[in-house]
Amino acid sequence: MSPALPRAADGPSVCQRPFVQNRILQGNCLEIMPRLRGGSVDMVLTDPPYVCGYRDRLGRTVANDDNTDWLKPAYAEMYRLLKPGSLCITFYGWTQTDAFFAAWRAAGFRIVGHLVFCKEYASSERLLRCMHESAYVLAKGNAPWVAPPLSDVRPWTYTGNRLHPTQKPVESLKPLIDTYCSPGGLVLDPFAGSGSSLVAAREVGRRYLGIELDPAHATTAKQRLR
Ligand SMILES: C[S@@+](CC[C@H](N)C(=O)[O-])C[C@H]1O[C@@H](n2cnc3c(N)ncnc32)[C@H](O)[C@@H]1O
């Protein structure tokens, strides 16, 4: 079910209305993003399913973590919604790097940076002790340089995953938004989970828009942002 966005029957089509902002929309981002006006978002900061069959110790899983069908349409929409010259910073699952790259390139993104977040703990121990998260920096066209740029090796703190099975630390996200989104700009996260990226956006004075499929996680995000 899509959320209560304005419909064409209410008057002008959604795409002609001011961009919806400072909200969490519960629903499928593949259905919601096409209803939003293109070229209106200043930054995408997102943490999509890693497509790795994730299951934590409590048995919690992540929706759409079992298929890649959403990858190309989702990144195509993120690209359309971004303003020219702006960035999408996206976490990704390294076991599916080829599928993520194919989706980013098909959407039109330029791949302009890679971030490594260093954990002080191992999230799993098999062949290796897994002690980092990673994200790519994607540009729509030519993104302006910033001074000083951020280091691409970043600190990370453990959240305890109390609010979401793959909850990201707000403090690790804030510098990304502060550096790469203009003051007062709009940050979109179409895979919002418990809303960590949107809390970060609000804490550094940016507007935000989150989309989350799972009703329970959408409620958590709304509560955090209340
Ligand atoms: C890796 S989690 C994000 C966790 C988030 N960064 C946090 O700190 O809580 C990815 C989220 O995407 C959501 N999701 C999966 N498919 C979706 C879709 N088609 N539309 C919207 N959300 C979706 C999942 O329910 C999940 O909460």
Side-chain angles (χ1 to χ4, degrees), residues 40-46 78 81-83 86-90 115 137 173-182 185-190 198 201 206-209:
S40 303
V41 167
D42 295 281
M43 179 182 188
V44 172
L45 176 56
T46 194
M78 291 181 228
L81 291 173
L82 278 168
K83 293 177 180 171
S86 56
L87 296 179
C88 168
I89 299 185
T90 176
L115 296 163
V137 185
L173 304 177
K174 280 162 60 172
L176 307 177
I177 299 171
D178 217 10
T179 305
Y180 298 110
C181 180
S182 52
L186 179 65
V187 176
L188 169 70
D189 185 350
L198 312 162
R206 271 55 169 189
R207 295 172 291 133
Y208 63 87
L209 177 62

Side-chain angles (χ1 to χ4, degrees), residues 8-203:
D10 298 336
S13 76
V14 167
C15 292
Q16 292 163 352
R17 288 174 181 252
F19 203 90
V20 57
Q21 59 186 341
N22 296 337
R23 289 193 39 200
I24 303 294
L25 304 175
Q26 190 273 310
N28 184 346
C29 68
L30 301 183
E31 295 172 5
I32 294 173
M33 287 194 287
R35 296 163 58 194
L36 303 175
R37 192 176 59 222
S40 303
V41 167
D42 295 281
M43 179 182 188
V44 172
L45 176 56
T46 194
D47 173 29
Y50 286 7
V51 196
C52 64
Y54 182 84
R55 178 179 293 272
D56 73 6
R57 282 170 297 174
L58 303 173
R60 296 182 295 177
T61 57
V62 173
N64 279 321
D65 192 44
D66 59 353
N67 73 89
T68 55
D69 299 348
W70 51 271
L71 270 170
K72 282 189 175 173
Y75 283 100
E77 277 301 310
M78 291 181 228
Y79 186 89
R80 186 185 67 82
L81 291 173
L82 278 168
K83 293 177 180 171
S86 56
L87 296 179
C88 168
I89 299 185
T90 176
F91 292 87
Y92 69 101
W94 64 265
T95 61
Q96 295 289 343
T97 303
D98 50 353
F100 278 92
F101 260 77
W104 299 335
R105 292 218 159 101
F109 280 115
R110 297 175 54 237
I111 294 158
V112 294
H114 186 248
L115 296 163
V116 174
F117 299 85
C118 300
K119 299 177 176 174
E120 292 178 351
Y121 58 94
S123 48
S124 81
E125 298 192 31
R126 292 188 181 115
L127 184 63
L128 293 167
R129 302 189 73 232
C130 300
M131 296 184 63
H132 75 282
E133 291 281 335
S134 40
Y136 269 97
V137 185
L138 314 175
K140 178 172 178 174
N142 291 316
W145 291 4
V146 296
L150 281 188
S151 163
D152 60 6
V153 179
R154 311 289 321 153
W156 188 267
T157 49
Y158 183 50
T159 63
N161 296 327
R162 287 181 302 103
L163 300 175
H164 189 284
T166 63
Q167 185 183 336
K168 298 290 183 284
V170 169
E171 291 305 318
S172 297
L173 304 177
K174 280 162 60 172
L176 307 177
I177 299 171
D178 217 10
T179 305
Y180 298 110
C181 180
S182 52
L186 179 65
V187 176
L188 169 70
D189 185 350
F191 296 95
S194 64
S196 306
S197 57
L198 312 162
V199 172
R202 190 179 64 176
E203 289 190 7

